[in-house]
Amino acid sequence: MPIEILMNILAQDIKYLQGVGPQRATLLAKELGITTVGDLLTYYPYKYIDRSHIYKICDIDGNMPYVQLCGQILSFDSVGEGYAKRLIAHFADKTGVVDLVWFQGIKYATKNYDCRKSYIVFGKPTVFNGRIQIAHPEIEAAPDHLKAQAQTTGNLFSTSSVNPNLQEESIDSQPTAFKGLCPSYNTSEKMKKSGLTSAGMAKLTANMFKVLKDPLPETLPPYIVSQHRLMPYDEAVRNIHYPTSAEALRRAKLRLKFEELFYVQLNILRYIKDRQLRYKGIVFNTIGEHFNNFFYNHLPFQLTDAQKRVIKEIRTDMKSGRQMNRLLQGDVGSGKTLVALMVALIAIDNKCQACIMAPTEILAEQHLATLRKMLGDMPVRVELLTGTVKGKRRTEVFDALVNGEVNILVGTHAVIEDNVLFHRLGLVVIDEQHRFGVSQRAKLWMKNSVPPHVLVMTATPIPRTLAMTLYGDLDVSVIDQLPPGRKPIRTIHMFDAHRQRIYDLMHRELQLGRQIYIVYPLIEEQKNAPSAISKKGTNKDKLALKDLEAGFEEISQAFPNYKVSKVHGRMKPADKDAEMQRFANQQTHILVSTTVIEVGVNVPNASVMIIENAERFGLSQLHQLRGRVGRGADQSYCILVTKYELSSTTRQRIQVMVDTTDGFEIAEQDLKLRGPGDLEGTQQSGMAFDLKIANLAHDGQILTLARDTAQSVIDSDPEERNQQNNILWTRLRQLRKSSINWGAIS
Ligand code: ADP
Ligand code: MG
């Protein structure tokens, strides 16, 4: 079958598959996003159950995870009224009796299951009132060769759980029908009500394979399949749903994971290649007056070696003739702002403008202040553009920008808007990149006839596997060194009950002239939450704000000699900024806030970060918050306050924070503990197709192999002339078409 025909079959509406129909089709689409046969094919089982064994009823107990039995229903009982109403079937083999119980679907069970017929029953045994029962079992007719085994002697008492006379009787022949591992599919409550349980889904996949009876064509060129000794595609998809053996399952998983990651990488590398072929970069060949003047006369301290190295890497990119697309990773406090400034000065030396983009107004304003201060009396004009720059002021900035009088524009995403026009934009720096997506980056390119160089900076270290996938189109530079003289922050985990000890520490630091942050979680800031959760979130949000108010009152009373201020997202931006400014100027001593201070804010005199309800934060967020202190030469503290009862993952998360201040280590742990789906920014990247089977936390090796393979395809066949690779490009275009994310940028 050629690949095009396969694509057509896979694109068929799921509605027409035997066992689906319009109602279930709607349900599948709503609950799982399955609309085509292809969607069902890639709806992989989440686990497999070994159903090769049929248990004797006398051997089972309530601790077993699941059992498979073969026997007959002796009789039915209807018990209870209303909500407590249930149907019990007394199910027996030659060794004993168990109760099968239904709380729902009673009618269906009564109608479809008969006394004295032989069934295979599968489910989780539990003990209720001293009797073993299986609630909502999966049931199917026993195959002929097992019927004899299902026979009971016919004189069992339906109430006795074990018949002592029969206990010794053995079942000689092991069944042969259920050799395999059976797939378990995730389904929702709504689906289960329509019969789409895991077993129901298995029936659909079985029906699907009836339609797909001819071998499915390869989706990778034969030379790649043989190079890595991959299982053929057809074998892999059949085995992933219905494994013939554990080994076959392992190879099927490997093949499908490889393929998935391979196409993601091919997509990224193809994109980079196209970008290189389509766009030239502005050549910055001078290091001139501005850079040198700053370097020799204005630099407030020696650059760290890491800063020097990174500036060199960026410089090399910018004079290469190719457009730079570089990710600068550097832990909080590693001095990225200075790098951004010096790189901007190179742009200015080459008669270009630079634009620095920050995720929040506070940060943009802080960058503006920092840059102006560092530049001193140098003839470099820096202007601000945010949502609050309005009216006449805005027009002035716009005019000066298009005239080329503004050298550096600092702003929020307001700078992306179409009416913001530059004279000659040569460099874009995006700070704290995880809040900007690929499509937003691409929008900035259009602001100059030749696309500007792009530097994205992040203080949220990204594990290698994620970076390769989500930001795989960027070259990476790393500042792996903090400016000298910093003492590592001490992180302490405390329970609510330790309040007095926390106050003691606060008093001590305040007396030393230091300042303190206290942060409360704000649920509202959770993005991409499903609607049901975000509704709940609004209530919690109010609660959180109440927490913050209460905390503010309590602290004000406990520290009457100090000025306490508060900042949260519901305040007017101007008020918020004024409070932040007062804290930065040391006019206030304790700042009680929500996470609005999370990113980038720099107050070196602050030495204590107290995080309330620390269990509610993600690791990368905790790391960001902690990074607000430890910016001066003195010992700083981060206190993580939690309730006493914590889940074991939460306990581990907190322990990671206590054990290390290494952002990369934390990012790796975060990926392991939470899984990649939850990491901030993953949805916005736009580079990765949905991963259905590969897991970036665990499949690093396969990913590397996939990337290398994709790279060699692009290198050896940049113009897509090799016939053997046709299959790759067809498939890639198909995947792009079906990927919403990709559509936004191509
Ligand atoms: P981040 O990488 O988190 O954005 P910043 O750029 O805000 O870090 O820098 C943190 C602090 O370190 C600032 O106060 C900055 O002035 C200071 N700093 C930056 N580079 C150096 C250096 N080479 N030596 C000493 N201090 C530095
Ligand atoms: Mg910063």
Side-chain angles (χ1 to χ4, degrees):
M1 195 196 304
I3 191 154
E4 287 81 5
I5 296 183
L6 169 72
M7 297 286 191
N8 287 342
I9 294 181
L10 297 185
Q12 273 170 20
D13 196 327
I14 194 75
K15 187 163 62 185
Y16 304 114
L17 183 71
Q18 188 197 339
V20 183
Q23 223 177 349
R24 283 182 165 184
T26 315
L27 206 53
L28 285 168
K30 245 201 199 141
E31 300 291 299
L32 303 177
I34 295 176
T35 60
T36 64
V37 173
D39 293 338
L40 185 65
L41 187 69
T42 54
Y43 191 69
Y44 301 131
Y46 72 100
K47 66 169 186 189
Y48 302 83
I49 291 170
D50 183 358
R51 287 182 70 166
S52 55
H53 187 70
I54 291 191
Y55 286 85
K56 290 188 263 180
I57 289 180
C58 67
D59 285 340
I60 64 176
D61 64 51
N63 297 321
M64 295 172 152
Y66 52 83
V67 293
Q68 182 166 245
L69 307 170
C70 184
Q72 295 185 342
I73 293 173
L74 301 178
S75 61
F76 287 99
D77 276 337
S78 227
V79 201
E81 289 293 324
Y83 282 120
K85 189 171 169 185
R86 59 198 189 276
L87 176 73
I88 297 178
H90 305 288
F91 184 80
D93 64 9
K94 290 175 184 166
T95 73
V97 184
V98 291
D99 291 347
L100 311 179
V101 186
W102 288 266
F103 300 93
Q104 279 156 9
I106 292 178
K107 253 195 217 151
Y108 180 90
T110 328
K111 211 174 105 200
N112 284 279
Y113 307 129
D114 301 325
C115 289
R116 295 291 154 192
K117 255 200 186 164
S118 302
Y119 293 107
I120 299 286
V121 162
F122 178 80
K124 158 93 188 103
T126 51
V127 177
F128 183 73
N129 281 345
R131 296 171 58 86
I132 293 180
Q133 66 173 36
I134 298 175
H136 294 140
E138 286 173 26
I139 300 189
E140 59 193 336
D144 287 341
H145 71 283
L146 287 179
K147 281 195 176 140
Q149 186 180 325
Q151 300 294 317
T152 64
T153 54
N155 58 358
L156 286 171
F157 298 108
S158 64
T159 45
S160 70
S161 65
V162 172
N163 184 326
N165 300 327
L166 293 169
Q167 233 173 355
E168 296 306 310
E169 193 172 327
S170 69
I171 297 165
D172 298 326
S173 58
Q174 273 298 309
T176 51
F178 303 99
K179 261 203 292 225
L181 295 158
C182 289
S184 289
Y185 299 90
N186 271 318
T187 70
S188 69
E189 281 310 312
K190 273 193 197 149
M191 290 173 64
K192 285 183 185 127
K193 278 193 189 138
S194 295
L196 289 177
T197 55
S198 173
M201 289 299 286
K203 273 191 201 126
L204 294 189
T205 52
N207 290 345
M208 172 183 66
F209 282 119
K210 273 187 220 155
V211 180
L212 300 173
K213 51 187 180 307
D214 293 335
L216 299 168
E218 253 314 320
T219 46
L220 289 170
Y223 77 92
I224 292 183
V225 175
S226 59
Q227 184 189 353
H228 300 301
R229 292 193 200 88
L230 298 172
M231 184 182 253
Y233 181 70
D234 181 66
E235 218 180 315
V237 285
R238 288 175 204 276
N239 270 286
I240 203 75
H241 289 283
Y242 295 98
T244 51
S245 71
E247 174 60 13
L249 176 61
R250 189 191 63 78
R251 292 194 60 215
K253 278 186 182 166
L254 178 70
R255 149 82 204 214
L256 295 173
K257 284 178 176 185
F258 174 86
E259 171 164 351
E260 198 167 73
L261 294 170
F262 172 81
Y263 276 106
V264 170
Q265 292 304 322
L266 190 69
N267 184 36
I268 294 169
L269 297 172
R270 181 72 265 178
Y271 172 77
I272 295 177
K273 197 77 192 171
D274 290 345
R275 190 170 65 193
Q276 285 170 358
L277 294 173
R278 209 174 332 159
Y279 302 111
K280 293 267 164 292
I282 310 170
V283 181
F284 287 176
N285 47 20
T286 357
I287 289 271
E289 194 189 325
H290 291 96
F291 185 90
N292 287 327
N293 182 5
F294 181 80
F295 188 74
Y296 292 111
N297 306 319
H298 293 262
L299 197 59
F301 25 61
Q302 284 230 307
L303 294 176
T304 62
D305 288 342
Q307 282 170 320
K308 282 186 206 158
R309 190 189 65 237
V310 162
I311 291 173
K312 229 182 244 161
E313 285 167 359
I314 295 170
R315 160 110 182 92
T316 309
D317 272 6
M318 294 199 306
K319 66 178 178 192
S320 71
R322 275 185 287 114
Q323 181 210 12
M324 173 174 78
N325 280 281
R326 189 167 278 278
L327 177 69
L328 173 56
Q329 296 200 32
D331 220 334
V332 276
S334 60
K336 293 184 293 296
T337 318
L338 185 58
V339 171
L341 173 59
M342 295 186 65
V343 174
L345 291 173
I346 298 179
I348 298 169
D349 278 338
N350 288 274
K351 307 280 177 286
C352 280
Q353 292 166 299
C355 174
I356 300 179
M357 209 156 99
T360 63
E361 301 223 346
I362 291 183
L363 265 184
E365 283 170 31
Q366 191 176 292
H367 277 328
L368 177 82
T370 309
L371 297 194
R372 283 188 174 160
K373 193 167 143 210
M374 287 209 263
L375 288 165
D377 58 1
M378 280 181 61
V380 173
R381 181 162 167 195
V382 191
E383 290 293 348
L384 180 76
L385 183 68
T386 64
T388 46
V389 178
K390 289 204 177 98
K392 205 171 134 230
R393 184 86 200 95
R394 200 173 180 88
T395 325
E396 275 170 20
V397 172
F398 277 17
D399 289 346
L401 202 58
V402 86
N403 291 338
E405 288 162 25
V406 172
N407 302 108
I408 303 178
L409 182 70
V410 177
T412 51
H413 51 265
V415 303
I416 306 184
E417 283 163 26
D418 292 335
N419 56 357
V420 181
L421 301 173
F422 290 81
H423 176 66
R424 190 161 184 250
L425 180 63
L427 169 74
V428 173
V429 179
I430 303 174
D431 197 9
E432 310 302 349
Q433 126 290 343
H434 57 282
R435 310 206 174 178
F436 290 105
V438 176
S439 55
Q440 283 162 307
R441 261 194 273 144
K443 234 178 146 181
L444 278 159
W445 299 4
M446 303 309 151
K447 296 213 175 279
N448 202 52
S449 51
V450 182
H453 296 295
V454 178
L455 180 69
V456 288
M457 309 199 297
T458 175
T460 313
I462 302 161
R464 201 185 54 89
T465 52
L466 264 194
M468 266 164 69
T469 307
L470 303 175
Y471 307 105
D473 67 314
L474 302 175
D475 296 311
V476 179
S477 289
V478 181
I479 307 187
D480 50 5
Q481 185 181 23
L482 292 180
R486 300 255 176 89
K487 286 216 178 83
I489 302 163
R490 274 190 60 196
T491 303
I492 306 163
H493 177 200
M494 287 189 173
F495 298 116
D496 290 322
H498 293 151
R499 197 60 58 182
Q500 194 51 49
R501 278 169 56 199
I502 300 173
Y503 282 2
D504 291 346
L505 179 96
M506 289 171 68
H507 270 294
R508 211 180 64 211
E509 289 295 305
L510 288 166
Q511 269 162 14
L512 291 169
R514 305 276 169 269
Q515 290 162 279
I516 296 172
Y517 293 104
I518 303 179
V519 177
Y520 286 87
L522 193 58
I523 308 300
E524 183 189 46
E525 298 190 344
Q526 268 186 3
K527 277 159 266 154
N528 307 314
S531 59
I533 296 172
S534 58
K535 238 183 251 156
K536 256 191 250 151
T538 336
N539 288 334
K540 276 199 197 148
D541 167 36
K542 277 185 200 139
L543 234 165
L545 218 51
K546 234 171 71 195
D547 281 358
L548 182 133
E549 296 290 349
F552 174 76
E553 287 306 320
E554 205 180 299
I555 295 292
S556 303
Q557 275 169 25
F559 296 86
N561 301 329
Y562 296 95
K563 291 226 165 59
V564 187
S565 57
K566 68 177 170 216
V567 171
H568 55 79
R570 296 259 176 101
M571 290 163 73
K572 283 201 200 112
D575 297 344
K576 200 167 66 186
D577 290 358
E579 280 300 346
M580 286 303 303
Q581 207 53 53
R582 267 156 45 85
F583 186 67
N585 297 342
Q586 302 189 29
Q587 288 163 300
T588 57
H589 307 102
I590 304 175
L591 181 69
V592 180
S593 83
T594 58
T595 51
V596 290
I597 59 144
E598 179 188 344
V599 185
V601 172
N602 189 24
V603 181
N605 190 52
S607 67
V608 182
M609 166 61 67
I610 297 171
I611 304 173
E612 298 283 347
N613 297 114
E615 71 271 16
R616 290 213 214 146
F617 292 90
L619 270 182
S620 69
Q621 217 179 4
L622 288 175
H623 182 62
Q624 281 291 319
L625 286 168
R626 178 167 62 182
R628 299 308 105 215
V629 296
R631 306 193 139 229
D634 299 290
Q635 179 65 58
S636 290
Y637 303 88
C638 174
I639 317 270
L640 305 173
V641 188
T642 71
K643 56 184 183 195
Y644 188 72
E645 261 104 40
L646 295 176
S647 73
S648 76
T649 15
T650 309
R651 211 170 273 280
Q652 281 178 52
R653 283 219 316 266
I654 301 282
Q655 197 56 41
V656 169
M657 290 301 295
V658 172
D659 290 345
T660 181
T661 53
D662 178 341
F664 279 93
E665 172 69 26
I666 290 171
E668 292 284 352
Q669 296 293 341
D670 201 20
L671 184 59
K672 290 219 177 85
L673 291 172
R674 292 208 297 172
D678 287 342
L679 287 191
E680 211 175 335
T682 50
Q683 298 85 352
Q684 298 163 23
S685 138
M687 266 298 164
F689 307 125
D690 254 2
L691 294 181
K692 300 211 163 91
I693 185 164
N695 179 330
L696 294 177
H698 299 119
D699 298 326
Q701 278 184 336
I702 306 175
L703 176 64
T704 310
L705 191 68
R707 175 127 179 151
D708 292 348
T709 310
Q711 186 68 63
S712 68
V713 168
I714 298 277
D715 289 346
S716 63
D717 186 21
E719 284 167 11
E720 305 186 5
R721 298 233 171 112
N722 182 350
Q723 297 274 330
Q724 288 191 41
N725 288 332
N726 283 354
I727 191 175
L728 291 180
W729 312 121
T730 313
R731 180 102 169 133
L732 181 62
R733 309 249 138 80
Q734 200 77 31
L735 287 168
R736 280 186 185 176
K737 233 191 259 168
S738 60
S739 155
I740 309 155
N741 279 338
W742 181 262
I745 55 169
S746 57

